Amino acid sequence: MRGTEHMWILPTLILLPMIEIALFILVGGWIGLWPTLALVIASAVGGMSVIRVQGTQALAGLQRDIEAGGDPRDQLAHGALILVAGILLLIPGFLTDAIGILLLIPPIRAWVIARGAARMTVQATSFGRQRHGARRQPPEVIDAEFEVLEDDAPRPRGTSGWTRPKP
């Protein structure tokens, strides 16, 4: 059904904060308030340092692929998921931290990319040369009416409002 593929977003936006609050209460009850807050801050700082390293590696791989004339899609997908992991690690909460940490593991990123690619439909558009045997579509015709207005008196340059007068 069209239109229902994004129905998971609303329940997620409602359930995620509730789950995070419940996890804060549970973890806080087990280890106390200050250690819980320290864990949240440490996960954000540690996650960002890991993201910096993996993001740099992803950019280097992207540059290598482009210079070699290869396909940069894989490196772009990994880089995008590293960015998502960084955002998840910055959001305070244990569930988002766990998902962010999982996305920092390359085999898990590769699995997520493969699952996402299996659900995507790609439509390619090309410009420029046409392959031999391909049918060329006729150009779109735009029908218009116009009237040529001629002015009897020549105007000095720069008085039309569209050009600047020369000094």
Side-chain angles (χ1 to χ4, degrees), residues 2-138:
R2 277 226 171 270
T4 60
E5 59 261 7
H6 299 294
M7 293 300 290
W8 59 270
I9 293 175
L10 184 61
T12 301
L13 290 176
I14 293 170
L15 288 175
L16 184 64
M18 295 170 81
I19 292 169
E20 293 291 12
I21 291 169
L23 288 173
F24 273 125
I25 292 170
L26 283 173
V27 172
W30 290 334
I31 64 173
L33 171 68
W34 295 111
T36 302
L37 293 176
L39 270 176
V40 171
I41 292 170
S43 72
V45 171
M48 290 312 298
S49 64
V50 171
I51 287 166
R52 184 177 298 131
V53 170
Q54 287 197 7
T56 303
Q57 290 173 350
L59 284 174
L62 177 64
Q63 188 174 13
R64 272 192 316 273
D65 285 351
I66 290 173
E67 286 174 357
D71 187 4
R73 288 181 290 185
D74 190 50
Q75 292 297 334
L76 285 172
H78 278 277
L81 286 178
I82 290 170
L83 178 65
V84 169
I87 292 168
L88 290 173
L89 285 167
L90 286 176
I91 296 172
F94 294 108
L95 180 62
T96 54
D97 285 350
I99 295 169
I101 289 168
L102 287 173
L103 286 177
L104 291 176
I105 301 169
I108 292 177
R109 275 198 317 267
W111 179 81
V112 170
I113 291 167
R115 291 269 308 176
R119 299 183 71 194
M120 286 186 166
T121 303
V122 178
Q123 180 178 1
T125 303
S126 64
F127 299 96
R129 292 188 188 191
Q130 195 169 2
R131 284 194 228 139
H132 181 68
R135 289 179 40 148
R136 184 180 176 123
Q137 296 292 329

